[in-house]
Amino acid sequence: MSTAASTTPTERPLRADARRNREKIVSAARQIVGEHGEAAQIDDVARLAGVGVGTVYRHFPNKEALMGELVRMCVVECTAIAEQCASIEDPWDAFAGMVRSSCERMAADAAMRRTWQAADDAAVAYAAPVKAELHDAAELLIRRAHESGELRPDFTVDDMGGLMCGLGAAIDAMPEPDERWRRLVEFALDGLKPH
Amino acid sequence: MSTAASTTPTERPLRADARRNREKIVSAARQIVGEHGEAAQIDDVARLAGVGVGTVYRHFPNKEALMGELVRMCVVECTAIAEQCASIEDPWDAFAGMVRSSCERMAADAAMRRTWQAADDAAVAYAAPVKAELHDAAELLIRRAHESGELRPDFTVDDMGGLMCGLGAAIDAMPEPDERWRRLVEFALDGLKPH
DNA sequence: CGGGAAGCGGAAAGTGAGCTACGGTTCCGG
DNA sequence: CCGGAACCGTAGCTCACTTTCCGCTTCCCG
């Protein structure tokens, strides 16, 4: 039994080339989803990644799982932004910085805003654990801004999801080359200051 | 030739039962799209309308055309809201009333906010003529609010699309039974007042 | 360096939704 | 009241996309 238990069934090292392919697949998926949104096809992802379709399905049991991984990556990036902004001294600048940087990221990377729309419930559930971290990181910034009196008290962490979804949709709805969306973000931030 | 020209090829009266069926189809489509968004199926629409699939395709050449009709109806409703708010005396109340009423409509009717996402470019193009009317109606309210100095001057008609898209997405992202979305709308309106 | 397993590729099966063909039915003009 | 045409419902075709299957290749370890 002890010898049989030496292999860890929950986690295995993953071969070198397999690891490389996995990264290529995820990277390609990001680009394809950014271009085609929900209509993204596994076939296109495989072609862009330079691998066969079977390889995609070796790494992800189905399309849903691949989407879930993309969602997870987006959440991780957002968390990184939030934690990075935590080092800003002024509480309001820290909060506003998180919102601005996140929007900047969404505007620059179509996958960032389209992934949420393309993901179904199962994919979102897959990212639940990392989502908790994002929640905590955002809550910290919001509490600091509340305490300094620069953020209206009736705005809570639970409103962040709606806010960012709304800003993402607004950015998506505006002609890309123009950067008129920046103004809308500032309008929203002004609305979040104490009335 | 004169006898052949007596029939108007561009427009025909439409039989009584056909008219009734067409209305049932559109009504059913609204509900199905509201429930399933982009994943709405013609089959379900036909079943809910109590007609066969063939009947749906008699009235609309393809799914795209049906979606286009839904988009058109949404735009017409929005225009009606805007024109209705034009009778409000106070310029700011008129503008804010348009935004609030539109959001109210989106919150109450899932089809109202999901239709935009489900519609592709062709469907949107189909609704272009009525969209111009909405543009004009919104522009009137915005100009009045600008002139009275109650709406920030750097907010223009071209920002309305992004604003409403954003608010729609935000409403969609929030748990339905709760009416927390109303607060977000007020935040946005506060942000649109002169800084 | 060689045995063996993990990984890869692409053809093909499976699946489901959009769309069409056609025989029966319902409605309007005379 | 009736002839003809517009209309309706069903059944199944088509086609695109996901998923699987299996022989071949590449990598790791002793």
Side-chain angles (χ1 to χ4, degrees):
Chain A
M1 279 198 189
S2 60
T3 54
S6 65
T7 61
T8 57
T10 56
E11 198 175 347
R12 37 188 175 179
L14 206 60
R15 223 166 72 179
D17 57 340
R19 178 167 211 85
R20 234 171 329 181
N21 274 332
R22 192 194 147 95
E23 277 169 24
K24 283 196 291 184
I25 289 168
V26 171
S27 168
R30 271 188 80 110
Q31 186 172 334
I32 295 290
V33 169
E35 286 171 11
H36 299 91
E38 196 169 358
Q41 296 167 215
I42 299 282
D43 220 352
D44 291 337
V45 171
R47 196 176 309 119
L48 182 63
V51 303
V53 198
T55 307
V56 176
Y57 280 92
R58 167 159 301 275
H59 289 279
F60 303 94
N62 49 37
K63 192 180 179 181
E64 212 167 66
L66 178 55
M67 291 305 306
E69 176 60 18
L70 291 189
V71 172
R72 200 189 62 81
M73 285 180 62
C74 285
V75 173
V76 167
E77 276 189 50
C78 286
T79 307
I81 289 174
E83 287 173 349
Q84 194 174 331
C85 288
S87 64
I88 298 174
E89 278 112 71
D90 182 75
W92 171 259
D93 286 347
F95 171 76
M98 169 177 62
V99 174
R100 287 197 190 97
S101 295
S102 300
C103 287
E104 208 79 49
R105 195 83 192 71
M106 285 196 289
D109 185 356
M112 199 77 182
R113 41 182 208 271
R114 298 245 171 102
T115 296
W116 309 101
Q117 308 166 11
D120 63 4
D121 294 339
V124 173
Y126 173 75
V130 284
K131 228 171 167 180
E133 290 179 34
L134 174 59
H135 180 95
D136 292 345
E139 194 169 38
L140 176 67
L141 294 181
I142 288 172
R143 185 171 33 207
R144 278 179 54 200
H146 272 159
E147 285 168 0
S148 79
E150 290 173 291
L151 174 63
R152 52 194 310 163
D154 48 355
F155 179 86
T156 73
V157 200
D158 299 327
D159 297 325
M160 269 303 288
L163 174 67
M164 294 314 299
C165 267
L167 289 174
I171 291 171
D172 213 28
M174 295 203 150
E176 278 223 39
D178 191 359
E179 296 202 338
R180 213 168 37 197
W181 62 266
R182 288 175 197 276
R183 248 186 314 132
L184 268 194
V185 173
E186 294 308 317
F187 295 171
L189 285 174
D190 280 345
L192 292 181
K193 289 177 183 165
H195 184 59
Chain B
M1 279 197 187
S2 60
T3 54
S6 64
T7 61
T8 56
T10 56
E11 197 176 347
R12 39 189 174 178
L14 207 59
R15 222 166 73 177
D17 58 341
R19 178 167 209 85
R20 234 170 329 179
N21 274 333
R22 190 194 149 94
E23 276 170 24
K24 282 196 292 183
I25 289 168
V26 172
S27 169
R30 273 187 80 109
Q31 186 172 335
I32 295 291
V33 168
E35 285 170 11
H36 301 91
E38 196 167 357
Q41 297 168 216
I42 299 283
D43 222 352
D44 291 338
V45 171
R47 196 177 309 119
L48 182 64
V51 302
V53 197
T55 307
V56 176
Y57 281 95
R58 169 160 301 277
H59 290 281
F60 302 96
N62 50 36
K63 192 180 178 179
E64 211 168 66
L66 178 55
M67 291 304 307
E69 177 60 19
L70 290 188
V71 172
R72 201 188 61 81
M73 285 181 63
C74 285
V75 174
V76 167
E77 277 189 50
C78 286
T79 307
I81 288 174
E83 288 173 348
Q84 193 175 331
C85 289
S87 64
I88 298 174
E89 277 112 71
D90 182 74
W92 171 260
D93 287 347
F95 171 76
M98 169 176 64
V99 174
R100 287 198 190 98
S101 295
S102 300
C103 288
E104 207 80 47
R105 196 83 192 70
M106 285 195 289
D109 186 356
M112 199 78 182
R113 40 183 208 271
R114 298 247 171 102
T115 296
W116 309 101
Q117 307 166 12
D120 63 3
D121 294 340
V124 173
Y126 173 76
V130 284
K131 226 170 166 179
E133 291 179 33
L134 174 59
H135 180 94
D136 292 346
E139 193 169 38
L140 176 66
L141 294 182
I142 289 173
R143 184 170 33 208
R144 278 179 55 200
H146 272 160
E147 285 168 0
S148 78
E150 290 173 291
L151 174 64
R152 54 194 309 163
D154 48 355
F155 179 87
T156 71
V157 200
D158 299 327
D159 297 324
M160 268 304 287
L163 174 67
M164 294 314 299
C165 265
L167 288 175
I171 291 172
D172 214 29
M174 296 204 150
E176 278 223 37
D178 192 358
E179 297 202 336
R180 213 169 37 195
W181 61 266
R182 288 175 197 277
R183 247 184 317 130
L184 268 195
V185 173
E186 295 307 317
F187 294 171
L189 284 174
D190 281 344
L192 292 181
K193 288 176 183 166
H195 184 59

